[in-house]
Amino acid sequence: MGLFKKKKDHSKSLNKMKETLDSVEERQVQLERLINQRNIVIKQLLAFGKRKEAALELSKRKSFEEQLQRVLITKTNLEQQYLSLQNSSNASQVMDAMKMGTESQKKMNKEANVDNVNKVFEQAEEQAEIQKEMDSALSNSFVNESEGVDDLLDELEQLEIETSKSRSQSISSESSQPIQFNLPVHEDNRVPLQSS
């Protein structure tokens, strides 16, 4: 909450200073206009030979020029102060943001200290080991492996013998019959060549 109050105070000060600068600039424009008017009046009076009145207007012009000089100095000082206040406001905001970031980082580091991090890694490793054991248990066969392997080998041997017998019988019966090829044939009794 302090950050927002400070920012509001800085903004209020900057706004007030900007209003003052605008007011001073208005006064500068007004004085410059009065000085130009006095110059015109002085030239006209001198053209009509009214030297006393021209001297009086010259005196007024000098007074306006002195005021203008003070306004310009004031304006310069205000502009410098305005820029300085802007820089200070920016620096203050940066510092506040850095403080907040540092506090947040401290809080996070306190919650996630080295012991907590190590504990989390240990728990993760433990859970991974448990999962490996479960996967291993689930991948085991329901049958006793030694019995299952012997039975499978016996059955495989029987199948090999049967396959060998049926193949030899098939070959002997096929050798007495002519070999037939089922190739596609065109209408003109030509066999198409296959492209590779």
Side-chain angles (χ1 to χ4, degrees), residues 5-154:
K5 180 160 178 43
K6 286 181 185 179
K7 188 174 181 179
K8 188 176 179 182
D9 290 344
H10 291 305
S11 295
K12 191 176 179 181
S13 297
L14 285 170
N15 289 339
K16 180 63 178 170
M17 190 153 289
K18 181 70 174 146
E19 287 173 14
T20 305
L21 263 171
D22 290 343
S23 173
V24 169
E25 286 176 351
E26 286 176 21
R27 180 67 178 148
Q28 174 188 350
V29 169
Q30 182 185 22
L31 287 170
E32 288 171 345
R33 190 173 57 244
L34 288 171
I35 291 169
N36 288 334
Q37 288 173 350
R38 292 308 111 205
N39 283 335
I40 293 170
V41 170
I42 292 169
K43 289 178 184 177
Q44 288 174 346
L45 290 172
L46 287 175
F48 289 113
K50 298 184 178 182
R51 205 169 148 83
K52 262 188 173 181
E53 289 88 355
L56 184 61
E57 290 299 320
L58 184 60
S59 174
K60 288 179 185 176
R61 188 191 78 186
K62 290 281 184 194
S63 174
F64 291 145
E65 287 174 343
E66 289 172 5
Q67 288 180 38
L68 179 61
Q69 197 60 34
R70 286 192 298 269
V71 165
L72 290 174
I73 291 170
T74 301
K75 179 182 170 190
T76 301
N77 291 339
L78 282 171
E79 287 173 336
Q80 288 175 351
Q81 183 69 31
Y82 182 78
L83 291 174
S84 178
L85 186 58
Q86 273 186 323
N87 290 337
S88 295
S89 177
N90 291 340
S92 178
Q93 289 175 8
V94 167
M95 288 301 297
D96 287 341
M98 289 176 70
K99 283 179 187 177
M100 286 176 65
T102 301
E103 290 302 317
S104 293
Q105 191 172 15
K106 280 181 185 178
K107 185 178 178 183
M108 287 187 287
N109 287 340
K110 189 175 184 181
E111 292 172 2
N113 63 32
V114 175
D115 294 334
N116 288 344
V117 171
N118 288 336
K119 186 176 179 179
V120 168
F121 275 109
E122 287 172 8
Q123 289 173 349
E125 288 175 355
E126 185 179 308
Q127 292 305 312
E129 277 300 316
I130 291 170
Q131 187 62 44
K132 280 182 188 177
E133 290 174 14
M134 288 173 54
D135 290 345
S136 177
L138 290 173
S139 66
N140 286 339
S141 173
F142 289 110
V143 188
N144 187 343
E145 279 190 33
S146 62
E147 292 176 9
V149 171
D150 291 341
D151 290 343
L152 287 175
L153 289 175
D154 288 342

